[in-house]
Amino acid sequence: MLLLCALPAGAEDTGEDKRIYKVFQPDNPPWGEEDTDTGFIVDIVGTAFRRAGIAHEFVYAPWKREQAAVQQNGSSFMAPLTRLEEREPLYRWVAPVNISFLQLVTKDHSLTKLPMEALTSLPIAARMESPAQFSAQAFGFRDITLVEDEIVGARLMMANRVTLWMQRGLPGVWAYEQSGGNADELLVLKSWPTPQQYLVASLDVPLAVTEKLAAVLTEMRLSGEIDQIKQSYFKAALRCELLFTCTKPKPPAPAPIQP
């Protein structure tokens, strides 16, 4: 997730706004990685800022801190942020930058045929202030360990301190392998599509800036460039449902399971 704070400086011309926008990114590969200053969200958003002629630099910060800062600080952005109803009035939603899925995974093969209601007493990890946390709570899980990022969730799963992990598929797999695990150990019990993830701005960001970014990102999305950047970070072909230019019929979403 990216968060951008504007500071006065000699920046490229952005109409009436002349600033350098700091891009705050949590260390959450493959979206973004502090050691290399790369990631597919970093590349997508960085490309949009450069083409829009808006000066920027990346700075890494914890996810929860970013969400608070973008609401409280002037002239700030973040991405990717899932578009949820309760978040709608808090930001200006610039443009979608990613499609993601929410997954419930385990290493325990004995759980693969159990209904959701039989799993809710088991210990589960979920990223705080994310759809993973909200979904785990909505399904009635009672033993939830909230984690700052997917790396912590991966380590808890590897150490068998939790039986279940509610996580994003691609960052979850990446985090598990970065922590020394084999992603093939993870069994997907359930998978749900989630609302698209956006680049968002704080409400006082100049409209001219967000409109320039929206136009560039829309062009990148429709041309397939966003999908190409995302695919470049993975050896295996991404599922069609994770791509904006997917032409295959999308499978129906699983019916919600009421806790």
Side-chain angles (χ1 to χ4, degrees), residues 134-180:
F134 305 144
S135 296
Q137 292 170 338
F139 282 121
F141 284 94
R142 300 184 288 278
D143 186 2
I144 304 174
T145 299
L146 297 180
V147 298
E148 183 69 30
D149 54 41
E150 302 292 19
I151 289 288
V152 178
R155 290 171 179 169
L156 291 175
M157 176 64 73
M158 289 181 61
N160 297 316
R161 292 179 57 187
V162 295
T163 306
L164 303 169
W165 182 17
M166 186 79 79
Q167 44 100 305
R168 299 286 190 182
L170 296 179
V173 166
W174 191 287
Y176 200 75
E177 293 181 342
Q178 287 280 327
S179 301

Side-chain angles (χ1 to χ4, degrees), residues 198-220:
Y198 275 64
L199 170 67
V200 302
S202 57
L203 298 177
D204 63 346
V205 170
L207 185 59
V209 172
T210 58
E211 287 179 341
K212 284 184 179 182
L213 290 168
V216 173
L217 285 167
T218 297
E219 182 179 355
M220 291 174 65

Side-chain angles (χ1 to χ4, degrees), residues 38-100:
T38 61
F40 69 82
I41 294 297
V42 171
D43 288 356
I44 291 166
V45 174
T47 297
F49 270 76
R50 288 191 295 272
R51 290 186 185 167
I54 302 171
H56 67 286
E57 61 178 331
F58 288 98
V59 178
Y60 290 78
W63 190 305
K64 191 174 183 180
R65 186 188 305 167
E66 294 176 4
Q67 294 187 56
V70 78
Q71 296 175 40
Q72 299 168 6
N73 294 350
S75 300
S76 55
F77 295 75
M78 63 191 300
L81 186 67
T82 304
R83 192 165 190 171
L84 302 175
E85 183 178 356
E86 58 268 28
R87 292 174 175 168
E88 194 71 27
L90 302 177
Y91 312 96
R92 182 177 297 159
W93 299 84
V94 180
V97 294
N98 190 39
I99 297 174
S100 187

